[in-house]
Amino acid sequence: MMGRQHYDIVVVGAGLVGLSVSMLLEKLGYRIALVDPKTQPAPLSEKFDHRTYAISPASMRLFDRLGVYDAMDRSRITEFFDMQVWDANSNGTVQFSAHELGRDRLGWIVEHSNLMIALTEALFTLDNVDRITGSVNAIEQDESIVGLILDNGEQLRAPLVLGCDGANSRVRSLLNMSAKVRDYVQHSILCNVEIELPHAQTARQRFLTTGPLAFLPLPNPHECSIIWSTTREQASQVVKASDSDFHSILGAAFEHRLGAIQSSGKRLVVPLQALHTKQYISGRTALLGDAAHVVHPLAGQGLNLGLMDAAALAQVLGSREDMTLRFLLNKLRRYERMRRGENLAMLKLTEELNQLFCDDHSLTRCLRGTGMQFVDRMTPIKKWLMLRAMGDVGDVPIIASYQSELK
Ligand SMILES: Cc1cc2nc3c(=O)[nH]c(=O)nc-3n(C[C@H](O)[C@H](O)[C@H](O)COP(=O)(O)OP(=O)(O)OC[C@H]3O[C@@H](n4cnc5c(N)ncnc54)[C@H](O)[C@@H]3O)c2cc1C
């Protein structure tokens, strides 16, 4: 058995949320252990990563203030200025535009690997973060300390532990923190495709009764990253289809809005679920990101919410000072109050939108069409929806708040 190492904070999980919160807290003066079984992210390959994210302006401001925006390979990032959303089964269409808000863009499409590499490299420059390779196997906490045992026998102790270990969080299960989980009975197919017509830096999403199909613009004007959420059965058929069958099924599902699908990369299928924990804190431990909440990808918000958790937690903790239970609990409760309502609102919104568009009843279809036309004409509602998706509504952490446009 190895010796015990003592830190101010142990962050469990070096995904995008764990990396971000570690950087934020190190800059506030804390000594951090960042634990993850994975070592280094894979280098960027010539082909685009099929895991891409729509990153909101609020999240990008956070990355900018952490020095991560400049560390990314900017030639592989796409700004999008407009977004078109339409219903496959009614005349409902909504067109969102950054121009209407007087903003430079609605967001960015960024590869997972580009972000992981930039964050990991930025983290390496910090003196007070130890990367520890391992998986958490046991946690015990009392009034004054939390003790963790890793699968390699290593033991860590800290007055605060942050569970950033994703949707199947071990921290959450070891501490018996209950979560409400709902299986969407949908899977998402992820793939990068070459399209006939230029995407014009517009994100597009068509709502089918089986689920939404999004085409997100990549730097090449003729390439998009698709996220197609559909029934399990259709996903398993589509993923096995020949390239030419896949191109015609996908093109038809998208009404050929960008012409023919000309080629495609690797296809990946992921099951979808909704998850929300009843509490974000248990004693001296707090959950962040997917460990606390998992939302449907239709609004491209899961990671953005997790990044705001990281920013909010760093804001309420402030600089390194008293970590006695009473002080710490006050701060952790403030974090929970700041984030739980925001995350729950997005969970409900995405769940209700998904249900609404999957309902094939003729009356619902008619109301949907009329409702979407109404929203499209009602500039204040549309503006509010855009600002919500951009992360600029609600209790926005100071570090991510809007001051000016990023260059
Ligand atoms: C199809 C799809 C599309 C999406 N698109 C978007 C989008 O456009 N925009 C957006 O904002 N969000 C999007 N999301 C959501 C986004 O992917 C997640 O919200 C985000 O990746 C969660 O990050 P995380 O760091 O919380 O968790 P994860 O990325 O799951 O990271 C968890 C980390 O914890 C580590 N870990 C696990 N167990 C242990 C353990 N026992 N000990 C130590 N470490 C451990 C793992 O190795 C991993 O590194 C999408 C999701 C899906 C499914």
Side-chain angles (χ1 to χ4, degrees), residues 86 88 206 208 213 215 228 234 248-256:
W86 71 100
R206 182 177 190 228
L208 297 111
L213 166 59
F215 273 56
W228 186 0
Q234 187 176 29
S248 50
I249 299 167
L250 177 64
F254 200 58
E255 289 181 320
H256 307 286

Side-chain angles (χ1 to χ4, degrees), residues 123-136:
L123 194 89
F124 271 136
T125 64
L126 305 178
D127 293 331
N128 284 318
V129 181
D130 285 351
R131 272 294 296 253
I132 297 176
T133 307
S135 181
V136 170

